[in-house]
Amino acid sequence: MRIMKKIVSFFCIVCAVCCTFSCSDMLDTESTRQNIDPELSKKTDSLFYSYGIFEAMQKLADQYVYVGELRGDLVQTTQYTDSMLTQLATFNISSTNRYDSAYVYYRVINNCNYYIAHRNTNLYTGAQNVVIGEFAAVKALRAWAYLQLARNYGRVPFFTEPLTEISQIDSNTFPTLDLNGIVAALAPDLEQYSGMPVPDAGMQQRETVKSNWESTKKQFSPSRCYIPVDVVLGDMYLEVNNYEQAARHFVTYLTKVSARPSSQHIAGFINNRDDATGGLDYRQVKVTVEVNDWKAIFGRNSVADIISYIPMAPSAQYGGTTGVPLTFGADYYATPDEQTGYTRNNCRNIGGEQGFWKWNLPLVTNVQIEPSKALTELSDSTEYYYYAIGGQSNYDSIRAANVGDQRLRNVLAFYDDTDDHAIQWITKYDFANIILYRNSTVLLRLAEAFNRLGMCDAAFAILKDGISEVLIRPASQATSAPYMTEETKAKLQNEYPLLKDSFIDRFPLANACGIHCHGAGYATSDLAITGNYLQSKSPYKYDRIIGKKLQELATKQGLTVGTTKQDTINALEDIICDEYALELAFEGNRYFDLMRLAHHKNEASPSAYGANYGYQWMRNKLGAKGWTESKMYLPFN
């Protein structure tokens, strides 16, 4: 109960401070009224508490990233890595590790509990309830925090009353719940808010960044500091292998809540043409595509593709700060006289594009976290699909080149003036935004759920073509997707109604783009230009890609693979796992993705793969880092 008593002490301190001081950081409510004995009975009273929850989220941001990534297979430590981070990476965590703290999540939970217990939800402007959206969003944040606790610790104390006095701890015995218990306790209540969007407060722009590398104001979107109810519910159900409910809620988010396109961004284009030998000539002008740039997602004020994030302050003067950019190599908080000589302006991205970065962000030489060999090999071994010149038209012939996926290349920068000064930096956190969910995250989780429901074709479609009407066209049409079954087409219009008549306009054909296209070029066909579906022109085909993965599993894992539906599901799940790595690397998801997929595999895999196959699969991913099943969870600190 030490953690619970710490929460009560902190809560009382905050309430005392709020009686005499107003906020002055990036989460300032800009209210002229002192928050003395603040109430939750009026329409405007909740803003103080909402921003208090956001401030509590800032406190857990670094831990969220480090715990999720360092225990995964996509990063590695260096000679400069802090000992606390090394402990995470080697699964040898001491009781004093500052990144092993259940308390930071319970702070969020207790703030949410207080709001939920005291908020007056019977407030209207005309016929519109003006507080219910925020009320639902706070409940979703509480559920998300409990989800993270269970992912990290297995079983955790559970309470929904606000803890404001020590006597509440001494006189109560809180139950300890695992993931199944937490989902059972919280999901039924959240269901009533399904389909409800988060409150929209627009973009806020309050704090000026005074430096020569970022002289404009940093903006943030308060609405994206919440997490939509259906995204949280989808994640919760997916964790406990309830694939049907997970898919339903991800679909509800995409069709009823999300206001942004579901598929966009293609990253990193190679310079190519067919030369006399049919190979690639890197001297030629590069191929471009008329879509948004994938790496722009991680920019200073970007909200493209982002559903939820934790925006960190540009200095301690303006609020909660983060150490994450520094560990990846960018000194976000340095002053001009602290520059190292390495900046984005004198390095280049790993794809060879010089002068890409237009700001003068200082970089450090003592990088603590680097891409792992496993991630680099996965990226380098991924085929890139490009239009070859010489066909009947410039979109007639799509070929594969062994030049790798471009997403990793587009978030790496390196300086290699001499061999002695070869340095590599990861750029996703250059602007100190901790991303929790993107539309791409939801689409990949939906593919995971569809696959486990036996809708392997729909899962593959999300990777190849995205969501568009081409998936449900009659097979008799030449422009239909040949790998889609009639059963799945019906489900996509009824049971999981992404492409129901009333929603199909949300997924226009012209924007069709599968997740794999973000870094692998033309895995899909040229729908945007021609309006036709030329699936046979791309080597990224259902049977070919799954066949390659089955062969890889047989060769590298020694499995006796068959031709059953379960074999296909397992292989496609591994393909989705690879896509998680390429799309979401370094964003705090990886260890939990591996753990969740391992649980799926333990529940249902071909008998020929052996008992406890899921954990054996996870050992293959993490064994070199010292992972064993007994080290699945963190010590509860």
Side-chain angles (χ1 to χ4, degrees):
M1 292 294 106
R2 176 179 59 85
I3 290 174
M4 306 306 164
K5 291 183 178 180
K6 186 177 180 182
I7 292 170
V8 171
S9 298
F10 175 82
F11 192 88
C12 293
I13 290 170
V14 168
C15 288
V17 170
C18 291
C19 290
T20 55
F21 294 97
S22 62
C23 299
S24 61
D25 63 14
M26 68 184 293
L27 300 179
D28 190 347
T29 64
E30 295 189 340
S31 172
T32 58
R33 178 174 66 89
Q34 284 187 325
N35 289 293
I36 299 173
D37 192 22
E39 300 176 353
L40 284 165
S41 60
K42 298 179 181 179
K43 294 178 183 179
T44 59
D45 280 338
S46 67
L47 193 58
F48 169 81
Y49 288 99
S50 295
Y51 277 24
I53 296 169
F54 298 162
E55 186 272 339
M57 291 288 287
Q58 287 180 324
K59 299 298 183 184
L60 62 80
D62 287 17
Q63 178 171 316
Y64 173 81
V65 173
Y66 293 146
V67 169
E69 291 303 323
L70 282 163
R71 293 191 297 165
D73 60 333
L74 306 183
V75 301
Q76 63 188 25
T77 57
T78 73
Q79 61 179 315
Y80 304 109
T81 306
D82 178 270
S83 62
M84 300 292 184
L85 300 179
T86 301
Q87 288 179 13
L88 293 176
T90 58
F91 294 91
N92 187 23
I93 302 162
S94 71
S95 60
T96 59
N97 193 299
R98 62 180 172 273
Y99 301 115
D100 175 14
S101 172
Y103 163 64
V104 295
Y105 287 101
Y106 278 118
R107 278 184 61 178
V108 174
I109 289 166
N110 204 43
N111 273 276
C112 292
N113 284 346
Y114 187 90
Y115 174 99
I116 293 165
H118 294 91
R119 185 55 166 143
N120 181 355
T121 59
N122 192 32
L123 299 173
Y124 289 82
T125 297
Q128 180 182 3
N129 188 312
V130 296
V131 299
I132 197 65
E134 185 180 66
F135 188 75
V138 171
K139 283 190 171 183
L141 277 174
R142 179 178 67 178
W144 178 86
Y146 267 123
L147 177 61
Q148 306 317 307
L149 281 171
R151 282 171 165 170
N152 279 308
Y153 299 106
R155 299 183 66 90
V156 294
F158 180 85
F159 58 96
T160 56
E161 62 179 295
L163 303 182
T164 59
E165 298 178 358
I166 297 298
S167 60
Q168 292 175 275
I169 308 249
D170 294 333
S171 62
N172 285 279
T173 301
F174 298 110
T176 58
L177 302 182
D178 60 8
L179 270 168
N180 285 284
I182 285 170
V183 173
L186 295 178
D189 176 62
L190 281 177
E191 287 283 0
Q192 64 184 304
Y193 308 109
S194 178
M196 186 174 292
V198 299
D200 185 5
M203 292 292 288
Q204 301 295 315
Q205 181 169 283
R206 293 181 183 148
E207 71 287 356
T208 300
V209 184
K210 296 180 179 179
S211 72
N212 68 334
W213 57 84
E214 193 178 2
S215 59
T216 61
K217 291 182 178 179
K218 181 175 181 179
Q219 300 174 339
F220 78 102
S221 171
S223 63
R224 287 175 174 83
C225 295
Y226 295 110
I227 305 172
V229 168
D230 288 289
V231 172
V232 174
L233 280 170
D235 243 8
M236 293 173 74
Y237 286 125
L238 194 60
E239 286 285 349
V240 297
N241 302 345
N242 188 338
Y243 309 116
E244 180 180 357
Q245 287 300 324
R248 288 186 188 280
H249 283 287
F250 290 139
V251 168
T252 297
Y253 168 76
L254 292 168
T255 55
K256 297 182 179 180
V257 180
S258 173
R260 296 176 292 282
S262 63
S263 298
Q264 70 269 60
H265 314 296
I266 295 181
F269 313 109
I270 60 170
N271 302 339
N272 65 76
R273 71 172 178 86
D274 274 7
D275 60 17
T277 63
L280 296 177
D281 186 344
Y282 292 91
R283 297 169 297 178
Q284 302 304 308
V285 64
K286 63 182 178 180
V287 176
T288 59
V289 183
E290 296 301 323
V291 292
N292 292 326
D293 195 348
W294 178 82
K295 57 184 171 289
I297 294 168
F298 311 102
R300 177 177 60 241
N301 295 321
S302 173
V303 292
D305 196 52
I306 295 174
I307 298 172
S308 304
Y309 69 160
I310 307 173
M312 307 302 291
S315 72
Q317 176 185 355
Y318 297 113
T321 60
T322 174
V324 172
L326 188 63
T327 57
F328 286 113
D331 195 348
Y332 183 72
Y333 298 106
T335 59
D337 60 352
E338 294 175 326
Q339 291 189 39
T340 63
Y342 297 100
T343 71
R344 289 283 181 255
N345 287 336
N346 62 22
C347 67
R348 59 191 175 93
N349 78 327
I350 205 127
E353 185 178 356
Q354 288 187 296
F356 172 79
W357 291 275
K358 305 304 181 186
W359 61 94
N360 198 27
L361 189 68
L363 307 176
V364 299
T365 57
N366 52 339
V367 178
Q368 298 185 54
I369 301 177
E370 295 180 335
S372 68
K373 181 180 178 181
L375 176 58
T376 302
E377 289 180 347
L378 172 63
S379 178
D380 289 347
S381 64
T382 300
E383 293 177 333
Y384 187 91
Y385 307 103
Y386 68 101
Y387 285 149
I389 297 174
Q392 295 178 3
S393 63
N394 81 337
Y395 56 84
D396 184 62
S397 180
I398 302 176
R399 297 188 180 180
N402 294 319
V403 297
D405 190 276
Q406 303 301 297
R407 281 166 287 190
L408 178 59
R409 288 171 167 81
N410 273 272
V411 293
L412 291 183
F414 73 99
Y415 181 90
D416 60 352
D417 191 27
T418 69
D419 291 340
D420 293 334
H421 294 86
I423 310 169
Q424 181 173 268
W425 301 275
I426 296 169
T427 67
K428 274 194 175 182
Y429 290 101
D430 278 4
F431 292 117
N433 292 326
I434 309 300
I435 296 173
L436 303 179
Y437 291 97
R438 298 194 273 120
N439 282 302
S440 296
T441 317
V442 168
L443 286 165
L444 286 171
R445 300 271 167 87
L446 178 59
E448 181 184 329
F450 276 164
N451 182 54
R452 279 292 166 181
L453 285 168
M455 298 168 60
C456 304
D457 47 353
F460 187 77
I462 289 172
L463 305 184
K464 178 177 174 60
D465 293 307
I467 300 168
S468 74
E469 73 169 85
V470 73
L471 302 182
I472 58 171
R473 286 178 176 171
S476 58
Q477 291 187 13
T479 56
S480 65
Y483 60 89
M484 294 296 294
T485 65
E486 295 303 316
E487 180 183 5
T488 294
K489 291 177 185 179
K491 287 183 177 180
L492 292 179
Q493 295 172 86
N494 299 296
E495 195 170 348
Y496 307 103
L498 285 163
L499 298 175
K500 186 178 179 180
D501 288 347
S502 55
F503 299 133
I504 199 168
D505 288 344
R506 297 178 67 88
F507 309 103
L509 185 61
N511 288 351
C513 173
I515 298 293
H516 197 61
C517 302
H518 292 183
Y522 290 96
T524 188
S525 298
D526 196 66
L527 303 173
I529 297 175
T530 69
N532 295 323
Y533 185 84
L534 303 172
Q535 186 270 348
S536 62
K537 300 299 182 182
S538 175
Y540 193 76
K541 300 178 182 178
Y542 181 85
D543 290 337
R544 176 176 179 266
I545 298 303
I546 292 177
K548 285 180 64 177
K549 180 58 71 173
L550 285 168
Q551 184 178 10
E552 177 187 320
L553 292 173
T555 302
K556 293 185 177 181
Q557 295 191 22
L559 297 179
T560 303
V561 298
T563 58
T564 68
K565 187 66 169 288
Q566 283 299 318
D567 285 295
T568 297
I569 289 172
N570 184 70
L572 186 50
E573 189 167 73
D574 278 40
I575 293 168
I576 294 169
C577 181
D578 290 345
E579 205 65 40
Y580 277 133
L582 296 169
E583 179 72 20
L584 306 178
F586 321 128
E587 294 179 34
N589 300 283
R590 185 57 174 180
Y591 181 76
F592 307 113
D593 287 341
L594 294 179
M595 186 166 62
R596 185 180 64 254
L597 296 179
H599 291 156
H600 296 346
K601 293 176 186 297
N602 269 355
E603 183 184 61
S605 289
S607 58
Y609 295 0
N612 210 31
Y613 169 66
Y615 291 156
Q616 179 60 50
W617 175 85
M618 197 163 175
R619 277 192 292 273
N620 289 339
K621 295 281 188 182
L622 301 174
K625 303 188 76 170
W627 184 87
T628 63
E629 190 176 336
S630 64
K631 296 181 178 181
M632 179 76 72
Y633 301 109
L634 292 171
F636 188 78
N637 292 321

